[in-house]
Amino acid sequence: MSAGTAPGAPRATVGGWATPRALCVLAPNPSPMTLDGTNTWLLAEPDSDLAVVVDPGPLDESHLAAVVGAAEQAGKRVALTLLTHGHPDHAEGAARFAELTGTRVRALDPALRLGEEGLAEGDTVTAGGLELRVVATPGHTADSLSFLLPADAAVLTGDTVLGRGTTVVAHPDGRLGDYLDSLRRLQALTVAGEVDTVLPGHGPVLGDARGAVEFYLAHRAHRLAQVETAVETGLRTPSEVVAHVYADVDPALWPAAELSVRAQLDYLREHGIIELP
């Protein structure tokens, strides 16, 4: 990777067709945490009239109507709704979207489901010839899932890998050890040639999946080393560590950074690297 090159080869635009089977409908909820907004994904085989929607997004009537309209414009009927995880910017609109489309909602967390079927590692979801494989990727949250779209060599990562920047490990539900394992799982898919494109929950599509995941792994190792060093120099509270380690980050993001720091401190304690109460 040359100097100045963004990791993962992000595309210039957010929204629109990303692959022959994946259309992004961008939710109108931009923020420092959601980047350009939530990416709602409409997935379908080109010659099928059935579609799957992943992450309807926030409870915003205009956005939910836009997703339905995008399906209709493409000649598709939404047959199923899936969730990558339960954070409101991804899942809050799911129940209302289910009403609009008459679909079930499948998720790992039973509290988010509408219908009897959930989702779990190794499941295969099909609709109109479309095939999605469920990959458990906990760490950002305990219920985080990714969806492998084999026909396009793409993976929908929710918040596990973003199209720009890095994600938060949402302590205490999110755990760093789980997150690192999930990144290694995604890395293995890229090394095996099963994935070359990341369809993230926020930000642009990444055309170099392997580069993006390896950047994430390197970034996490670097931050973990910084946190360890900060503790060794006498910093004790998560807020003290954040102010030192994340001094180069917009302070508006420090509350989220503190969640990641808490997860890193837990990880270091669990592995016997530091001793803190």
Side-chain angles (χ1 to χ4, degrees):
M1 186 181 300
S2 62
T5 300
R11 298 188 184 173
T13 58
V14 177
W17 286 99
T19 73
R21 294 167 180 80
L23 172 68
C24 176
V25 183
L26 181 64
N29 61 333
S31 75
M33 290 296 293
T34 61
L35 305 181
D36 309 275
T38 300
N39 294 336
T40 294
W41 290 101
L42 180 73
L43 309 174
E45 284 295 319
D47 59 354
S48 172
D49 64 351
L50 297 181
V52 174
V53 166
V54 176
D55 289 352
L59 184 53
D60 181 293
E61 291 289 343
S62 65
H63 173 62
L64 300 179
V67 177
V68 173
E72 293 174 346
Q73 186 174 6
K76 315 291 185 185
R77 175 178 65 83
V78 179
L80 182 63
T81 302
L82 307 178
L83 298 176
T84 61
H85 65 296
H87 280 167
D89 56 314
H90 293 257
E92 185 184 37
R96 174 59 178 152
F97 187 72
E99 290 180 1
L100 294 173
T101 58
T103 60
R104 296 165 294 143
V105 177
R106 295 181 63 181
L108 177 61
D109 184 348
L112 300 171
R113 302 173 189 167
L114 290 176
E116 295 182 359
E117 285 189 286
L119 291 170
E121 164 65 30
D123 284 352
T124 298
V125 178
T126 59
L130 181 79
E131 179 182 295
L132 292 170
R133 299 177 191 168
V134 180
V135 181
T137 49
H140 169 67
T141 60
D143 69 331
S144 288
L145 299 173
S146 295
F147 299 106
L148 177 63
L149 179 55
D152 288 342
V155 63
L156 291 88
T157 54
D159 284 356
T160 299
V161 176
L162 304 180
R164 187 170 62 250
T166 56
T167 197
V168 61
V169 178
H171 180 276
D173 183 48
R175 294 177 57 82
L176 181 59
D178 292 342
Y179 186 66
L180 293 174
D181 287 344
S182 293
L183 290 178
R184 294 183 189 107
R185 291 202 66 196
L186 294 174
Q187 182 186 37
L189 291 174
T190 70
V191 171
E194 295 184 60
V195 169
D196 56 36
T197 301
V198 172
L199 307 179
H202 302 279
V205 171
L206 301 176
D208 176 15
R210 183 172 180 176
V213 174
E214 290 180 351
F215 168 78
Y216 264 55
L217 283 165
H219 172 79
R220 284 295 167 194
H222 178 64
R223 285 297 194 204
L224 194 60
Q226 288 180 308
V227 170
E228 181 183 353
T229 299
V231 172
E232 289 173 349
T233 61
L235 302 181
R236 287 293 177 265
T237 68
S239 60
E240 289 174 340
V241 174
V242 168
H244 178 73
V245 172
Y246 289 81
D248 59 336
V249 173
D250 184 347
L253 298 176
W254 281 11
E258 184 168 325
L259 296 180
S260 286
V261 164
R262 289 179 181 275
Q264 291 169 69
L265 292 173
D266 279 357
Y267 180 89
L268 291 169
R269 276 193 294 260
E270 290 164 4
H271 287 77
I273 298 172
I274 63 172
E275 293 184 7
L276 281 177

